[in-house]
Amino acid sequence: MNIKLAVIPGDGIGPEVVGETLKVLDKIGEKYGHTFEYNKVLAGGCAIDEYGQCLPQSTIDACKAADAVLLGAVGGWKWDNLPGSERPEMALLGLRKELGLFANLRPAMVFDCLSDACPLKPEIIEGGLDIVVVRELTGGIYFGEKGTKETDLGPVAYDIEQYSEMEVRRIAEVAFDMAMKRGKKVTSVDKANVLESSRLWRRVVAEVAEKYPEVELNNLYVDNAAMQLVRAPKQFDVIVTSNIFGDILSDEASQITGSIGMLPSASLATGNFGMYEPVHGSAPDIAGQNIANPMATILSAAMMLRYTFGLLEEADAIEAAVKKVLDDGYRTPDIAKEGEKAVGTKEAGDLIVEAI
Ligand code: IPM
Ligand code: MN
């Protein structure tokens, strides 16, 4: 295949972890006979510095012209004092909306050899943990009507949570399709005891479930789901939920694995187009020091090969190489224990390339 990628290294550790990932993709291309073309474009803080805006139209156009997008991370202290609507993070919301990336897949799995990084008691995750949060990404309160108004009580600000049947149906279908390829269990998370939008959500998810008789559907209120995630996380296979609940629960799930530097994510549109990025952020405190863990971004590239390009063998090869490097005892500082010798970002990338 000849694959054209839009690459957004972004800010902080983004350029370093993306750099290692491109090395890995080049190696995959060489071994399996594909060519990767990279169109590097700016978004986030670096785009504010260069163009005065976090998401220039040229970046959106480059992403639309590409087969998929690989993103590092955006944001940093330098831009922390900008007003909310001008912050680097707004680039993410703009990309999601402009590219129609309505389905956000955030796997949270515990790597066997890193299982003691999990902050929960060992018996709670014994036998492994493998959850994927399917978060709705272009609707809900993030994109609903918002504003401020004067009232008798003084100024008031509001953000509206709203979902259409279509939006719920298409994200539910992604979740059930995913469950069919995994543990055949979907947990839909809402707040249907209080919110009208959640009652619509629950009704539509139940309708979709009828098309998947093999998949078990459970409904949980979000407060209970947050509690169950730390009490008995192994009960979950696929969690499907709204934009804001998914934002919160996916952070909780990633923390349970103890190695947020390891977790990839995919944001998918209809068709096979997607944007792939690590779950972690730009970590400005460790940027430029060759100590960031590139594995989450490298594993995001594996998701890209699998979901956008259907290159299953190649995706497996990347995941197996990451596993081998870990099993051989190599660790970046974020996952190294007391006394273990850590490798740098570049060395970790080189070791994964070598293992492929
Ligand atoms: C995430 C982030 C973003 C979100 C922010 C930075 C806009 O927290 O990707 O989870 O809330 O979606
Ligand atoms: Mn978040």
Side-chain angles (χ1 to χ4, degrees), residues 38-64:
Y38 309 120
N39 185 8
K40 285 197 189 169
V41 288
L42 300 185
C46 55
I48 296 176
D49 291 349
E50 179 80 20
Y51 301 105
Q53 47 175 307
C54 66
L55 184 60
Q57 187 60 43
S58 53
T59 293
I60 297 171
D61 293 342
C63 292
K64 285 186 176 166

mmCIF file of all heavy atoms in Angstrom, residues 38-64:
data_model
loop_
_atom_site.group_PDB
_atom_site.id
_atom_site.type_symbol
_atom_site.label_atom_id
_atom_site.label_comp_id
_atom_site.label_asym_id
_atom_site.label_seq_id
_atom_site.Cartn_x
_atom_site.Cartn_y
_atom_site.Cartn_z
ATOM 1 N N TYR A 38 4.654 11.242 4.759
ATOM 2 C CA TYR A 38 4.256 12.028 5.928
ATOM 3 C C TYR A 38 4.134 13.496 5.567
ATOM 4 O O TYR A 38 5.090 14.108 5.114
ATOM 5 C CB TYR A 38 5.290 11.875 7.042
ATOM 6 C CG TYR A 38 5.620 10.431 7.362
ATOM 7 C CD1 TYR A 38 6.919 9.951 7.235
ATOM 8 C CD2 TYR A 38 4.623 9.551 7.781
ATOM 9 C CE1 TYR A 38 7.226 8.624 7.529
ATOM 10 C CE2 TYR A 38 4.923 8.226 8.074
ATOM 11 C CZ TYR A 38 6.228 7.762 7.939
ATOM 12 O OH TYR A 38 6.520 6.458 8.223
ATOM 13 N N ASN A 39 2.970 14.048 5.765
ATOM 14 C CA ASN A 39 2.788 15.486 5.577
ATOM 15 C C ASN A 39 2.687 16.110 6.971
ATOM 16 O O ASN A 39 1.649 16.019 7.628
ATOM 17 C CB ASN A 39 1.523 15.743 4.754
ATOM 18 C CG ASN A 39 1.343 17.207 4.435
ATOM 19 O OD1 ASN A 39 2.239 18.014 4.693
ATOM 20 N ND2 ASN A 39 0.184 17.556 3.888
ATOM 21 N N LYS A 40 3.789 16.705 7.439
ATOM 22 C CA LYS A 40 3.815 17.235 8.806
ATOM 23 C C LYS A 40 3.171 18.615 8.862
ATOM 24 O O LYS A 40 3.578 19.514 8.120
ATOM 25 C CB LYS A 40 5.252 17.325 9.312
ATOM 26 C CG LYS A 40 5.821 15.979 9.670
ATOM 27 C CD LYS A 40 7.059 16.121 10.541
ATOM 28 C CE LYS A 40 7.712 14.739 10.666
ATOM 29 N NZ LYS A 40 9.035 14.779 11.249
ATOM 30 N N VAL A 41 2.200 18.770 9.731
ATOM 31 C CA VAL A 41 1.490 20.048 9.851
ATOM 32 C C VAL A 41 1.358 20.447 11.324
ATOM 33 O O VAL A 41 1.534 19.628 12.224
ATOM 34 C CB VAL A 41 0.095 19.988 9.177
ATOM 35 C CG1 VAL A 41 0.239 19.953 7.663
ATOM 36 C CG2 VAL A 41 -0.719 18.793 9.659
ATOM 37 N N LEU A 42 1.026 21.709 11.543
ATOM 38 C CA LEU A 42 0.992 22.238 12.901
ATOM 39 C C LEU A 42 -0.433 22.332 13.448
ATOM 40 O O LEU A 42 -1.362 22.714 12.733
ATOM 41 C CB LEU A 42 1.600 23.642 12.944
ATOM 42 C CG LEU A 42 3.062 23.809 12.494
ATOM 43 C CD1 LEU A 42 3.517 25.251 12.737
ATOM 44 C CD2 LEU A 42 3.978 22.830 13.201
ATOM 45 N N ALA A 43 -0.574 22.018 14.729
ATOM 46 C CA ALA A 43 -1.805 22.296 15.481
ATOM 47 C C ALA A 43 -1.415 22.438 16.938
ATOM 48 O O ALA A 43 -0.398 21.895 17.372
ATOM 49 C CB ALA A 43 -2.826 21.173 15.297
ATOM 50 N N GLY A 44 -2.215 23.187 17.696
ATOM 51 C CA GLY A 44 -1.932 23.370 19.116
ATOM 52 C C GLY A 44 -1.102 24.617 19.352
ATOM 53 O O GLY A 44 -1.170 25.591 18.599
ATOM 54 N N GLY A 45 -0.292 24.584 20.406
ATOM 55 C CA GLY A 45 0.495 25.754 20.801
ATOM 56 C C GLY A 45 1.454 26.208 19.712
ATOM 57 O O GLY A 45 1.587 27.413 19.435
ATOM 58 N N CYS A 46 2.122 25.262 19.064
ATOM 59 C CA CYS A 46 3.093 25.635 18.021
ATOM 60 C C CYS A 46 2.389 26.347 16.868
ATOM 61 O O CYS A 46 2.975 27.230 16.230
ATOM 62 C CB CYS A 46 3.874 24.409 17.545
ATOM 63 S SG CYS A 46 2.845 23.054 16.972
ATOM 64 N N ALA A 47 1.134 25.993 16.600
ATOM 65 C CA ALA A 47 0.388 26.677 15.531
ATOM 66 C C ALA A 47 -0.020 28.079 15.975
ATOM 67 O O ALA A 47 -0.064 29.015 15.163
ATOM 68 C CB ALA A 47 -0.844 25.860 15.141
ATOM 69 N N ILE A 48 -0.294 28.246 17.267
ATOM 70 C CA ILE A 48 -0.597 29.587 17.795
ATOM 71 C C ILE A 48 0.621 30.482 17.590
ATOM 72 O O ILE A 48 0.514 31.625 17.117
ATOM 73 C CB ILE A 48 -0.979 29.517 19.296
ATOM 74 C CG1 ILE A 48 -2.277 28.724 19.468
ATOM 75 C CG2 ILE A 48 -1.089 30.913 19.904
ATOM 76 C CD1 ILE A 48 -2.703 28.508 20.911
ATOM 77 N N ASP A 49 1.802 29.956 17.902
ATOM 78 C CA ASP A 49 3.027 30.740 17.731
ATOM 79 C C ASP A 49 3.273 31.086 16.262
ATOM 80 O O ASP A 49 3.707 32.185 15.934
ATOM 81 C CB ASP A 49 4.239 29.955 18.271
ATOM 82 C CG ASP A 49 4.204 29.825 19.789
ATOM 83 O OD1 ASP A 49 3.377 30.512 20.416
ATOM 84 O OD2 ASP A 49 4.995 29.042 20.328
ATOM 85 N N GLU A 50 3.015 30.136 15.387
ATOM 86 C CA GLU A 50 3.351 30.311 13.964
ATOM 87 C C GLU A 50 2.257 31.074 13.197
ATOM 88 O O GLU A 50 2.555 31.919 12.374
ATOM 89 C CB GLU A 50 3.560 28.915 13.352
ATOM 90 C CG GLU A 50 3.888 28.891 11.873
ATOM 91 C CD GLU A 50 5.356 29.206 11.575
ATOM 92 O OE1 GLU A 50 6.179 29.073 12.501
ATOM 93 O OE2 GLU A 50 5.646 29.605 10.426
ATOM 94 N N TYR A 51 0.994 30.742 13.474
ATOM 95 C CA TYR A 51 -0.106 31.300 12.675
ATOM 96 C C TYR A 51 -1.083 32.152 13.479
ATOM 97 O O TYR A 51 -2.059 32.657 12.924
ATOM 98 C CB TYR A 51 -0.940 30.177 12.049
ATOM 99 C CG TYR A 51 -0.189 29.229 11.147
ATOM 100 C CD1 TYR A 51 0.139 27.944 11.578
ATOM 101 C CD2 TYR A 51 0.158 29.596 9.843
ATOM 102 C CE1 TYR A 51 0.809 27.047 10.744
ATOM 103 C CE2 TYR A 51 0.823 28.706 9.010
ATOM 104 C CZ TYR A 51 1.141 27.440 9.474
ATOM 105 O OH TYR A 51 1.793 26.572 8.646
ATOM 106 N N GLY A 52 -0.893 32.214 14.803
ATOM 107 C CA GLY A 52 -1.837 32.968 15.623
ATOM 108 C C GLY A 52 -3.141 32.241 15.873
ATOM 109 O O GLY A 52 -4.094 32.809 16.391
ATOM 110 N N GLN A 53 -3.225 30.966 15.508
ATOM 111 C CA GLN A 53 -4.424 30.186 15.818
ATOM 112 C C GLN A 53 -4.049 28.718 15.970
ATOM 113 O O GLN A 53 -3.134 28.233 15.299
ATOM 114 C CB GLN A 53 -5.490 30.362 14.738
ATOM 115 C CG GLN A 53 -4.962 30.221 13.323
ATOM 116 C CD GLN A 53 -6.067 30.288 12.290
ATOM 117 O OE1 GLN A 53 -7.055 29.555 12.374
ATOM 118 N NE2 GLN A 53 -5.905 31.167 11.306
ATOM 119 N N CYS A 54 -4.782 28.009 16.849
ATOM 120 C CA CYS A 54 -4.352 26.642 17.181
ATOM 121 C C CYS A 54 -4.663 25.639 16.085
ATOM 122 O O CYS A 54 -4.047 24.578 16.026
ATOM 123 C CB CYS A 54 -4.970 26.209 18.512
ATOM 124 S SG CYS A 54 -6.755 26.052 18.478
ATOM 125 N N LEU A 55 -5.636 25.951 15.225
ATOM 126 C CA LEU A 55 -5.967 24.990 14.165
ATOM 127 C C LEU A 55 -6.158 25.715 12.837
ATOM 128 O O LEU A 55 -7.279 26.013 12.426
ATOM 129 C CB LEU A 55 -7.244 24.202 14.541
ATOM 130 C CG LEU A 55 -7.656 23.098 13.571
ATOM 131 C CD1 LEU A 55 -6.570 22.045 13.440
ATOM 132 C CD2 LEU A 55 -8.959 22.449 14.035
ATOM 133 N N PRO A 56 -5.063 26.003 12.137
ATOM 134 C CA PRO A 56 -5.186 26.724 10.874
ATOM 135 C C PRO A 56 -5.918 25.886 9.816
ATOM 136 O O PRO A 56 -5.861 24.655 9.858
ATOM 137 C CB PRO A 56 -3.731 26.972 10.445
ATOM 138 C CG PRO A 56 -2.871 26.197 11.355
ATOM 139 C CD PRO A 56 -3.671 25.720 12.510
ATOM 140 N N GLN A 57 -6.585 26.569 8.906
ATOM 141 C CA GLN A 57 -7.334 25.876 7.857
ATOM 142 C C GLN A 57 -6.423 24.944 7.057
ATOM 143 O O GLN A 57 -6.828 23.861 6.633
ATOM 144 C CB GLN A 57 -7.998 26.916 6.926
ATOM 145 C CG GLN A 57 -8.937 26.324 5.886
ATOM 146 C CD GLN A 57 -10.109 25.556 6.500
ATOM 147 O OE1 GLN A 57 -10.715 25.995 7.471
ATOM 148 N NE2 GLN A 57 -10.418 24.381 5.934
ATOM 149 N N SER A 58 -5.155 25.367 6.870
ATOM 150 C CA SER A 58 -4.236 24.527 6.081
ATOM 151 C C SER A 58 -4.027 23.165 6.747
ATOM 152 O O SER A 58 -3.860 22.150 6.064
ATOM 153 C CB SER A 58 -2.897 25.245 5.900
ATOM 154 O OG SER A 58 -2.395 25.645 7.167
ATOM 155 N N THR A 59 -4.061 23.135 8.072
ATOM 156 C CA THR A 59 -3.908 21.859 8.784
ATOM 157 C C THR A 59 -5.153 20.987 8.578
ATOM 158 O O THR A 59 -5.052 19.790 8.318
ATOM 159 C CB THR A 59 -3.664 22.124 10.290
ATOM 160 O OG1 THR A 59 -2.390 22.761 10.420
ATOM 161 C CG2 THR A 59 -3.681 20.842 11.095
ATOM 162 N N ILE A 60 -6.326 21.620 8.673
ATOM 163 C CA ILE A 60 -7.567 20.867 8.444
ATOM 164 C C ILE A 60 -7.569 20.284 7.032
ATOM 165 O O ILE A 60 -7.875 19.106 6.822
ATOM 166 C CB ILE A 60 -8.797 21.788 8.639
ATOM 167 C CG1 ILE A 60 -8.852 22.289 10.084
ATOM 168 C CG2 ILE A 60 -10.089 21.065 8.264
ATOM 169 C CD1 ILE A 60 -9.892 23.380 10.317
ATOM 170 N N ASP A 61 -7.173 21.113 6.058
ATOM 171 C CA ASP A 61 -7.158 20.653 4.667
ATOM 172 C C ASP A 61 -6.189 19.485 4.486
ATOM 173 O O ASP A 61 -6.505 18.513 3.788
ATOM 174 C CB ASP A 61 -6.771 21.803 3.719
ATOM 175 C CG ASP A 61 -7.839 22.893 3.692
ATOM 176 O OD1 ASP A 61 -8.983 22.610 4.106
ATOM 177 O OD2 ASP A 61 -7.519 24.030 3.278
ATOM 178 N N ALA A 62 -5.017 19.592 5.107
ATOM 179 C CA ALA A 62 -4.018 18.516 4.983
ATOM 180 C C ALA A 62 -4.554 17.214 5.578
ATOM 181 O O ALA A 62 -4.337 16.130 5.030
ATOM 182 C CB ALA A 62 -2.724 18.924 5.680
ATOM 183 N N CYS A 63 -5.268 17.331 6.696
ATOM 184 C CA CYS A 63 -5.836 16.127 7.319
ATOM 185 C C CYS A 63 -6.908 15.513 6.427
ATOM 186 O O CYS A 63 -6.977 14.292 6.258
ATOM 187 C CB CYS A 63 -6.433 16.455 8.686
ATOM 188 S SG CYS A 63 -5.187 16.911 9.910
ATOM 189 N N LYS A 64 -7.737 16.377 5.834
ATOM 190 C CA LYS A 64 -8.810 15.859 4.972
ATOM 191 C C LYS A 64 -8.239 15.185 3.732
ATOM 192 O O LYS A 64 -8.840 14.269 3.184
ATOM 193 C CB LYS A 64 -9.766 16.992 4.571
ATOM 194 C CG LYS A 64 -10.676 17.399 5.727
ATOM 195 C CD LYS A 64 -11.710 18.421 5.293
ATOM 196 C CE LYS A 64 -12.658 18.732 6.448
ATOM 197 N NZ LYS A 64 -13.466 19.931 6.206
#
